Amino acid sequence: MTLPHLFDSHLHTPLCGHATGQPREYAQAALEYGLAGICFTDHSPMPAWYDAPWRMKRAQLGEYVQVVQDVQQEFAGRLDVRLGLEADFHPGTEGYVREVLAEYPWDYVIGSVHYLGAWGFDNPEFKGEYDQRDLTDLYREYYALVEGAARSELFDSIGHLDLPKKFGHADPDGMAALHALDVIAAHGLALDFNTAGWRKPINEAYPAPDLVRAAASRGIPFVLGSDAHAPAEVGYHFADAVKEIHDVGGVVVRFEGRERVG
Ligand code: ZN
Ligand code: FE
Ligand code: FE
Ligand code: ZN
């Protein structure tokens, strides 16, 4: 398959401690898949107390930038390689995130919510906690954080919008999601169209088809991302993603220097 104009803008590297394959292998996979470019968005450093085993340390940030720039040079003229981050939105850490974002010339920054309080709700180890929760309340709490991420003005897009569905716990209501989309639209953010959901128990991309439609109708653009944690996942299901977005009149964009392209 050749997808000559497409970028994969959600890729990890082994620096986060839970991805395999060297960054140059992700680039090689993208080239072979027929993509125009990629943007690495590895898990950003956070304060030491927050989710430490699942991300690079602050002291590794320079190494990350260097590694991406090395791949950029190696693939120059063949594949456009961009420098990004998947940052976390967690109340109280905004100042830290702002500092990290000021340190290097990022192309694209995803804002993701991975925690409700101290619960890492996308970690398979802790999925038993879903049985303790009312799902409507859970999604209300989650989307309030997503709205905080949108209002923070720290990020270019919201990562994997309806992530709590990952293990099969779909949103029974949907009202909180629609309200969050209003806030996302008002603040001019894009959505990470994240195909990793097609590799998870829910077997559905993030966001769900009805939310893709609702986002498109609000003029919210989509950035394609495989959320690859291994080279073989680069460009995962991108043809399906593009079809789904275009079928509802949505727009695919990417980011360079934190500016929307396309
Ligand atoms: Zn990860
Ligand atoms: Fe994430
Ligand atoms: Fe990710
Ligand atoms: Zn992710």
Side-chain angles (χ1 to χ4, degrees), residues 86-121:
E86 179 177 10
D88 281 51
F89 180 76
H90 193 76
T93 65
E94 296 91 333
Y96 183 98
V97 171
R98 190 169 291 110
E99 274 182 31
V100 168
L101 297 186
E103 255 186 83
Y104 292 96
W106 310 106
D107 284 303
Y108 173 52
V109 179
I110 302 170
S112 294
V113 175
H114 294 114
Y115 277 80
L116 292 173
W119 176 33
F121 63 84

Side-chain angles (χ1 to χ4, degrees), residues 12 16 18 43 229:
H12 292 277
C16 68
H18 61 278
H43 296 287
H229 286 70

Side-chain angles (χ1 to χ4, degrees), residues 10-66:
H10 192 152
L11 303 178
H12 292 277
T13 81
L15 277 173
C16 68
H18 61 278
T20 57
Q22 290 312 303
R24 60 175 312 283
E25 298 176 87
Y26 288 68
Q28 190 59 41
L31 201 58
E32 284 163 16
Y33 191 74
L35 298 179
I38 54 175
C39 185
F40 287 99
T41 51
D42 207 1
H43 296 287
S44 175
M46 285 292 275
W49 53 266
Y50 179 88
D51 194 46
W54 300 90
R55 55 194 58 255
M56 69 182 93
K57 293 177 172 48
R58 181 73 170 262
Q60 294 174 299
L61 193 58
E63 179 187 347
Y64 171 61
V65 171
Q66 187 58 57

Side-chain angles (χ1 to χ4, degrees), residues 168-182:
H169 307 85
D171 185 354
D173 180 61
M175 290 311 290
L178 293 179
H179 192 269
L181 286 177
D182 289 337

Side-chain angles (χ1 to χ4, degrees), residues 99-178:
E99 274 182 31
V100 168
L101 297 186
E103 255 186 83
Y104 292 96
W106 310 106
D107 284 303
Y108 173 52
V109 179
I110 302 170
S112 294
V113 175
H114 294 114
Y115 277 80
L116 292 173
W119 176 33
F121 63 84
D122 73 331
N123 186 336
E125 222 181 304
F126 308 130
K127 70 178 180 189
E129 176 66 15
Y130 282 92
D131 300 335
Q132 309 298 318
R133 304 270 176 144
D134 176 86
L135 281 184
T136 299
D137 289 346
L138 184 160
Y139 276 97
R140 210 175 280 140
E141 189 185 343
Y142 169 76
Y143 281 116
L145 290 168
V146 168
E147 291 183 8
R151 290 197 177 94
S152 75
E153 307 279 351
L154 288 168
F155 315 115
D156 302 313
S157 75
I158 295 294
H160 36 58
L161 180 69
D162 49 356
L163 181 61
K165 74 181 177 182
K166 177 175 178 177
F167 305 113
H169 307 85
D171 185 354
D173 180 61
M175 290 311 290
L178 293 179

